[in-house]
Amino acid sequence: MTLKELESISNQFCNLDKLVAFKPLASGHINDTFLIETQKKLFFVLQRINHGVFKDVPNLIKNKVLVSKHLKEKLSHLSQAELKRRVLSFVETINGENYYVDSYGNYWNMMEYINDSITYQTVKSKEIAFEGGKLIGNFLNLTSDFNASKLVEVIPNFHDMSFRFSQFEASLKNASKERLDKANNYIDIVWELKEEMHILQHLKETGKIKVRVTHNDTKISNVLFDKNKKGLCVIDTDTVMPGIVHYDFGDAIRTICNTANEDEKDLNKVSFNLEYYKAYVKGFLEELNSALTPLEIKYLPLGAKTMIFIMALRFLTDYLNNDTYYKTSYPEHNLDRSKNQFKLIESLNEQFNEMEILNNISVK
């Protein structure tokens, strides 16, 4: 994108100032995001939503705006300056809309930039794990009274275990003998875990666990920190939609507690960091404990295991499908990713009793 092109788009929003500079922001793998600077030294985040991935962009943006408005109402005791640092603020177009569609059919939205904020790509201390848990817990607590049925499911079946298993079974029928042979041990593990991995879905479907507003992409890089390493704001709310708390908890734990990158081939480097888990749970439940039922708290450790399994299953399925979904750098990249996640489950299992004891203490 050129400055002139972005200026033309920026002019469609009510920032009332001339764009003078921009730089890309590495905020994800799906959308194109730019930090723009205006003549008056005001900063905004201008984002092009990938309508190839997200099929209903207007409702995606509506979801984000609705949740931000709710959060601002719950935090209305804060000053306007502090509120804008704690909650995403969306800028309307000159036509009063929350997004602009350019001549190529691309959808754009604009947010006010949160100055003096920091993001972390990985967790290197218990302090960051604790603060990350505290902020995600706070986000879920503040939205616990929001009617989740008002939100559109922007990615249908995103964490639906039955759907993921149906994709897996289809891949088994179409996979080459070579790939089936290489994945054979992990295919066996999938079947061994099938019943346990459906527990949370069954609890959700029978109404024993509440469907609520969930973020659905709770990696640590989607949390802003201030200069003192304190949690500031939850960002990247494109996937906010109805779900259960265990998905958000589990996805955060999956990314925070792996001692290696998710495509690390040396499985001796892959283990589950229990100390980071304890720190995250402490922060998470400090904010959210009163909004959860004892049953929800009981199954948080299983939420972590389930979300790791879902990613292991998705990587394995894509490998069997000849790598049609995830970008790969070499032929067995997805298989290595899957092996990595299964090793993480193995390490988690060795510490699962301690995780459950921690949660039982929290219930009491």
Side-chain angles (χ1 to χ4, degrees):
M1 296 291 293
T2 66
L3 180 65
K4 187 175 181 180
E5 287 172 323
L6 285 178
E7 183 180 15
S8 174
I9 294 161
S10 174
N11 287 342
Q12 302 300 317
F13 291 88
C14 297
N15 60 54
L16 305 178
D17 200 7
K18 180 180 174 61
L19 187 149
V20 294
F22 77 94
K23 68 175 181 179
L25 287 178
S27 61
H29 302 296
I30 296 175
N31 301 322
D32 296 315
T33 309
F34 303 91
L35 176 63
I36 63 173
E37 180 184 352
T38 71
Q39 206 164 30
K40 296 177 183 176
K41 297 295 181 183
L42 298 174
F43 294 87
F44 298 89
V45 176
L46 186 60
Q47 187 176 57
R48 176 169 54 193
I49 305 293
N50 187 329
H51 58 277
V53 173
F54 296 110
K55 306 302 182 184
D56 187 356
V57 179
N59 275 317
L60 177 153
I61 295 173
K62 182 181 177 183
N63 283 355
K64 295 201 291 184
V65 172
L66 281 174
V67 169
S68 278
K69 285 182 177 178
H70 179 82
L71 291 172
K72 286 184 176 182
E73 288 172 4
K74 297 299 289 283
L75 297 173
S76 59
H77 59 283
L78 299 176
S79 68
Q80 280 299 307
E82 183 66 10
L83 195 58
K84 287 187 176 184
R85 290 179 59 74
R86 296 287 179 178
V87 184
L88 292 178
S89 296
F90 293 91
V91 181
E92 290 187 345
T93 69
I94 54 178
N95 295 322
E97 303 289 342
N98 291 310
Y99 61 88
Y100 166 68
V101 184
D102 67 21
S103 58
Y104 298 100
N106 295 309
Y107 289 82
W108 296 83
N109 70 155
M110 182 182 282
M111 294 158 281
E112 295 184 26
Y113 179 67
I114 299 174
N115 290 308
D116 299 320
S117 59
I118 300 168
T119 59
Y120 296 95
Q121 296 303 312
T122 57
V123 173
K124 300 296 184 183
S125 71
K126 290 188 287 185
E127 179 186 6
I128 295 301
F130 171 78
E131 286 294 327
K134 196 173 175 67
L135 196 57
I136 294 296
N138 181 252
F139 174 88
L140 293 170
N141 183 46
L142 291 174
T143 57
S144 63
D145 60 345
F146 185 94
N147 183 356
S149 66
K150 292 182 178 179
L151 301 180
V152 174
E153 195 175 4
V154 293
I155 307 179
N157 302 312
F158 192 43
H159 296 315
D160 187 285
M161 192 64 75
S162 297
F163 174 70
R164 295 303 179 189
F165 262 90
S166 68
Q167 289 182 315
F168 171 68
E169 290 175 23
S171 74
L172 292 175
K173 296 175 183 177
N174 300 317
S176 67
K177 184 178 185 303
E178 179 187 5
R179 294 208 170 200
L180 285 169
D181 288 343
K182 288 182 177 179
N184 186 55
N185 290 341
Y186 297 94
I187 292 170
D188 289 343
I189 294 172
V190 169
W191 293 123
E192 289 169 9
L193 292 173
K194 181 178 180 180
E195 185 175 347
E196 182 185 12
M197 293 297 97
H198 276 84
I199 289 174
L200 289 176
Q201 184 169 319
H202 290 154
L203 289 170
K204 175 189 172 188
E205 289 172 348
T206 55
K208 293 178 181 177
I209 288 179
K210 176 184 176 181
V211 174
R212 60 174 77 232
V213 175
T214 46
H215 184 282
N216 295 294
D217 190 12
T218 50
K219 57 181 179 282
I220 198 67
S221 59
N222 282 335
V223 172
L224 291 185
F225 293 81
D226 65 19
K227 291 181 177 180
N228 297 316
K229 297 183 179 180
K230 299 299 182 184
L232 192 61
C233 179
V234 174
I235 62 171
D236 201 0
T237 52
D238 291 345
T239 53
V240 67
M241 54 186 168
I244 59 175
V245 68
H246 305 80
Y247 298 157
D248 276 2
F249 178 81
D251 199 30
I253 292 301
R254 183 186 77 83
T255 54
I256 287 170
C257 294
N258 192 340
T259 57
N261 294 328
E262 70 178 13
D263 56 359
E264 173 60 59
K265 290 189 278 188
D266 183 355
L267 298 184
N268 290 320
K269 295 180 179 178
V270 178
S271 63
F272 186 84
N273 190 320
L274 186 64
E275 293 306 307
Y276 286 2
Y277 177 84
K278 289 178 179 178
Y280 189 90
V281 170
K282 187 175 188 296
F284 187 79
L285 290 179
E286 270 189 19
E287 296 294 332
L288 190 57
N289 201 344
S290 61
L292 298 179
T293 67
L295 189 68
E296 285 176 310
I297 296 173
K298 174 185 175 182
Y299 281 105
L300 287 177
L302 183 59
K305 184 174 180 179
T306 300
M307 288 305 299
I308 298 169
F309 176 84
I310 278 184
M311 288 311 303
L313 184 63
R314 292 179 66 186
F315 288 140
L316 183 60
T317 298
D318 200 33
Y319 173 72
L320 295 173
N321 283 332
N322 292 314
D323 312 313
T324 58
Y325 187 83
Y326 294 106
K327 292 179 180 178
T328 56
S329 301
Y330 56 92
E332 294 188 7
H333 198 169
N334 272 322
L335 181 59
D336 285 336
R337 287 165 169 157
S338 186
K339 289 178 179 180
N340 180 299
Q341 298 296 290
F342 280 120
K343 175 63 188 302
L344 189 59
I345 289 175
E346 181 184 323
S347 179
L348 179 151
N349 276 337
E350 293 169 356
Q351 303 170 88
F352 199 75
N353 287 343
E354 197 167 346
M355 292 165 66
E356 288 191 310
I357 290 169
L358 181 66
N359 276 67
N360 289 336
I361 293 171
S362 299
V363 172
K364 293 174 183 176

